[in-house]
Amino acid sequence: MLKNHFKIALRNLWKHKVFSFINITGLSVGITACFFIFMYVAFELSYDKFHTKVDNIYRLVTDIKTPSETINTDATSWAFAPNLKPEFPEIEAFVRVQRSGYLIRKDNIKFQEDNAMLADSNFFKVFDFKLLKGDVNTALTAPASIVFSETTAKKYFGDADPIGKTVLMSGDAVPAVVTGVMKDMPGNSQIHADLLISMTSLTQKFRPDIDKQWGNYGANTYLLLKPGSNYKALEAKFPPFMEKHNGKDARESKMFAKLLLEPMKDVYLHTTRGGQEVGSMSNVYIFSIVAVFILLIACINFINLTTARSVERAKEVGIRKVVGAAKGELAAQFIGESVVLCMIAFFITIALSALLLPLFNQLAGKTVSEGIFTTPGYIAGLFGLSVVIGLLAGVYPALVLSSFRPVSVLKGRFSTGTKGNILRKTLVVAQFSISIALIIGTIVVYDQMNYMRNQDLGFSKDQTLVLETDNDPGQDAFRQAISGLPGVKGATLSSSVPGGGENGAYSEIENSKGDLQVANLALYFVDFDYIKNYGIKILAGRPFSRDFMNTDTAQAMIINEEAAKLFGYATPEKAIGRRFKQWGREGKIVGVMKNFHYRSLQEKIDPLTMRVEMKALNKVSVKLSAANLPSTLSQIESKWKQYVPNKPYTYYFLDEFFDRQYRSEQRFGKLFFNFAILAIAISCLGLLGLASYATYQRTREIGIRKVLGASTTGIVNMLSIDFMKLVIISFLIATPIAWYFMHKWLADFAYRIEIQWWVFALAGTLAVVVALTTISFQAIRAALTNPVKSLRSE
């Protein structure tokens, strides 16, 4: 029996090649898209789960309360972890890490390693990053020890064994010994580094007193708790610990730190404090919903296309019933055909997935999977999903087809009834509601990305070249040398550039009441040309000037509007001349600058201070002329090699660098757009099926109307109007749902668009155009059919 069902299924599929192609294509594309989204979601949910001890690893974070604000940071003081471990038996081990950049040299090979990381000696005991060479117990113990990743080790040593070899580290050429080679860190880790440097290099060699600095925040700290420990109970013990060790200093400085613990497995998707890499749980939810929608649309298509074809098989069913076929047997036959079709779609999906995976990885901006066969469970799940889709999607058509009354069918009076029509129309409404919601979502995402790209940032980032000098002694001579080049409009030194992070500084600034108010403020160290070169507007007072070199280098500060508001000044002018104390410097505010976006547009503009501190500058920003750019870059490179010979010549353009902050949103937008297009395309196939069914049902009516003089346009309008009603209903359903979800998505941005009425109008217009195009194909074909053919059986 099964063999017979299988044969009939294949014969029917082959006999109706166009139908089979459309149906299998819709299913294959739908399942492939769903499979890719599933892999993406699984990858996002898998972050840091590969650590065997992840259930006991927690990230230590800090809330810093000052009289001005509460700062929620992922950083900790250097002193926290070393002092926590001896006092709390629940803590088995701790690891502090700090991402930084280091110049690494071996003979004539030199690279600026921007993805380097300082790490405590327990790093490989707490985390499951695989050490291929070296001893996990000692690799990061001694000062000036380095562990390279596989890829980084090959840059310096090729295929030779690097263990025990010496490289030179930083601009001071500190000798460092290679003590290990680790496997490249996996993509689903919030901790990423191309090389690790022993934390003792900092705590014992470069800054031996740093472990005692309770107010110096710069480390990310992870605690490994003993099995069975309650992290909330441990968290409750931290306030007395802080009072014991730092209470007096906290009261004097008016900065109170509260320690909290975040489960490591939750950090990537759930933290609100940031980190080396963070994801978005809302994006995971959105893509999961899109996957379900695409799968639902594919199943709806199958039902609509199969029932649209049911009239062609009505007589077959009638004859089989007359000769004794049971209803259950016929249902099993049609469900079997559905499963066969899904199995064909399954194998096509496997081929499509293998072929398109590299493109999908590129689109996602990360290696979601090395290959679809690397995780056999995914393939097994995909096979099971295909079978389930075949069974579920085939049930309704099977019940409809097996319920035909043979007498009515064989007399030519076949009709699937009002209930069938209502169900099919409901399914089309569901399809187009999803499609219109996705169109609205795509427009909103694009509009937000466009807004972020074109927003007035308050500074000039175009044609700005940035070079990292690592505080090289020749950096100022280099700046002066390139300032005279024909293609250079200006050059400036600083500790930070917009989008590149900033220092945080304990500050005391005189407020509007005349008191020194404590706050932890963002700080840029700059030279005298920074404000001019970046086109930052001064609202009150003056910029830094060489005319006041003696005072500006030691006693002057410029703040932004937000800082002026924080300290209670109604206008920027009232902040001029007020006192400040910051990092050992005392002086007066000489200027207030207009707010500019020194961080991503996802974050609000916080108070910012600027000071001239020539010893703390490590970046050169060069404003270029657009004319003859290659020649200018070549001349800059020549000057670099002359004045900064120990560092490799590397640079980036600020506009590209600043825009990298939005890479995750841009990737989300691209993925969303592509899956929305797929969903709309699959929906059109379903609409084509229903249009095909409707025109077949009305073939004789169309013939009579043509005989009576109806025009082709009139017939097309008649056939189209019912479907346009369905699209309008879909629009009314989709609009509030799409508005709600996109409004929630936009809430993650500090600076965002308002969803305008035209977004919905455009989405509705696009849906109508797409639907009309799809329907018109079938309607015009029916209208042009010779009426003699449709009426000859009457």
Side-chain angles (χ1 to χ4, degrees), residues 463-477:
Q463 297 297 121
T464 300
L465 190 76
V466 181
L467 303 101
E468 302 272 356
T469 63
D470 200 25
N471 208 12
D472 189 277
Q475 63 182 13
D476 194 46

Side-chain angles (χ1 to χ4, degrees), residues 721-748:
I721 193 166
D722 287 341
F723 295 106
M724 287 303 98
K725 290 177 183 177
L726 299 181
V727 173
I728 291 169
I729 293 170
S730 301
F731 174 77
L732 296 175
I733 293 171
T735 296
I737 296 172
W739 179 89
Y740 173 78
F741 282 106
M742 296 318 296
H743 184 74
K744 296 276 285 183
W745 181 75
L746 287 170
D748 290 336

